[in-house]
Amino acid sequence: MMATIEKNSLSSEFSSLLSNTLTSRGHERLFNIAFVFTVETGFIPISLEEQFNSTDSNIKLAKTIKSQPLNSFWYKDNDNFHAELVMSNQLCHLIGVSIDGSLIITLIHSSISKCINFEDDEIISSENIKSLFDLSLKYKNLVSVPVKCAIKEITVSQYPSLCGVPEELISYILTKLNPPDLYSLMLSCKKMYHLVINNQLIWKKIVIELVKTLPEAPRLLVNIPDWRLCYYDLNRTVKCKRKVVERIRE
C-alpha cells in the first residue's frame, strides 16, 4: 500500500525538530533527519512508550522530543546508528549504516524492512527547512509509511474504525469530506479531533471553495494562522447575510 504525502505537509513542530538536526554534523545529522521523519510518521521512541498511545497526536510527541537532545533517543556503535521505536505495541528498529559519504537508513519490523540511502549533499546540509520536504516525501513513501501500513495490517483489529488506518490515508479521506462531516468526525474521538483540527491544508481548501461561491468575494490574507477559525467566521457571516435577505423577502 502506498500513501501519497503532500509536499509542505510538515507541521511547525516537526519543522522545528528538523532545525535541531541541522546543529549536528555528518552522518549523525543524516540519522537525526531520518529519526524525525520516522517519528512524524507515528513511530514512538521506546523511551517514551509509556507516555503515549494511539490516541495521542504526533504534535504532542514532537513537543516532548524537542525538549530533549535528539541523540538521547538513539545510540552509536562505531560508525553505525540504532534507535528502537514502537508502533502499535510492535517493536521496530531504525538503523543507520555508514558507507563512505552516505548513510544507509533501514526501518525494520519482524515482518518487513525498508531502506533508503541518505547522502551528505547540499540539500541535506542546507539550513533551509523547505529543502527537506522532498526528502521527507521520498522517505515516507519508500520507508516509514510502508512499514507502518504493514504493522497496522497486523494490529488493525486492536483499534476501532478509522483509528487503525495510517494517518496519511486518513488525511486523504478528510479531503473528501464536507465541513459538517469533518465536525462530526472531530467528535468521534481524540485522535480524529486532532487530525481534523490541525490539518490547515483542508480548511484552507474549504475556505477558498466557500469564497468562490460568494457574489462579493472577500480578499483573503496570505498568512492566516488558523484556516478552520477563518472558515467558521466566514461561514457565520454568510449565514447571517442570508437570514437578513430571507427576512427582507418575507
Side-chain angles (χ1 to χ4, degrees):
M1 182 183 297
M2 183 67 69
T4 300
I5 302 159
E6 291 193 50
K7 189 175 180 180
N8 298 339
S9 62
L10 289 177
S11 67
S12 59
E13 286 77 11
F14 279 98
S15 293
S16 179
L17 277 181
L18 282 175
S19 295
N20 292 343
T21 68
L22 300 179
T23 61
S24 54
R25 292 290 181 268
H27 288 171
E28 180 176 332
R29 170 183 292 187
L30 301 183
F31 191 77
N32 275 334
I33 291 172
F35 175 81
V36 171
F37 290 161
T38 307
V39 170
E40 193 200 9
T41 310
F43 291 82
I44 302 171
I46 196 167
S47 60
L48 302 178
E49 180 182 10
E50 295 182 357
Q51 301 180 34
F52 293 89
N53 55 54
S54 61
T55 62
D56 284 315
S57 69
N58 287 356
I59 292 178
K60 178 182 176 183
L61 179 59
K63 290 180 179 179
T64 302
I65 291 177
K66 185 180 177 182
S67 65
Q68 304 178 43
L70 285 176
N71 59 12
S72 66
F73 296 102
W74 49 263
Y75 62 87
K76 184 178 180 182
D77 182 13
N78 294 324
D79 290 330
N80 300 325
F81 303 83
H82 183 207
E84 293 184 330
L85 305 106
V86 176
M87 166 65 68
S88 300
N89 297 320
Q90 302 291 311
L91 179 63
C92 302
H93 300 272
L94 183 67
I95 299 174
V97 178
S98 302
I99 300 180
D100 297 327
S102 63
L103 190 69
I104 306 298
I105 304 292
T106 306
L107 183 59
I108 303 173
H109 179 255
S110 59
S111 63
I112 186 174
S113 66
K114 296 291 182 179
C115 66
I116 190 173
N117 181 34
F118 274 10
E119 296 182 357
D120 195 6
D121 56 19
E122 293 181 357
I123 293 179
I124 295 179
S125 63
S126 170
E127 294 186 358
N128 184 359
I129 290 298
K130 291 183 179 180
S131 67
L132 295 173
F133 285 142
D134 287 338
L135 185 62
S136 168
L137 176 68
K138 182 178 180 181
Y139 180 84
K140 292 173 188 175
N141 281 337
L142 295 180
V143 180
S144 58
V145 171
V147 174
K148 180 176 182 177
C149 289
I151 294 174
K152 290 297 186 181
E153 186 175 352
I154 297 172
T155 62
V156 68
S157 59
Q158 300 177 14
Y159 302 93
S161 62
L162 281 177
C163 289
V165 178
E167 291 181 8
E168 292 76 17
L169 299 184
I170 295 177
S171 295
Y172 174 76
I173 294 173
L174 295 182
T175 63
K176 305 299 181 181
L177 302 180
N178 57 36
D181 291 336
L182 288 172
Y183 279 113
S184 296
L185 187 61
M186 287 169 60
L187 298 175
S188 64
C189 69
K190 182 179 178 181
K191 180 176 182 178
M192 292 300 117
Y193 174 84
H194 285 292
L195 287 176
V196 174
I197 200 172
N198 292 319
N199 197 319
Q200 293 296 311
L201 292 177
I202 290 178
W203 291 107
K204 180 179 180 179
K205 178 182 176 182
I206 291 173
V207 168
I208 293 174
E209 290 178 350
L210 177 59
V211 168
K212 290 180 180 179
T213 64
L214 302 179
E216 297 180 1
R219 183 179 179 182
L220 294 176
L221 299 176
V222 177
N223 297 320
I224 294 180
D226 193 324
W227 285 96
R228 186 185 67 86
L229 292 180
C230 177
Y231 164 76
Y232 177 80
D233 293 337
L234 183 60
N235 189 49
R236 183 175 57 179
T237 301
V238 171
K239 287 182 177 180
C240 290
K241 288 184 178 180
R242 287 175 180 172
K243 288 182 179 179
V244 171
V245 172
E246 290 175 358
R247 289 177 182 176
I248 293 175
R249 289 177 177 176
E250 291 176 355

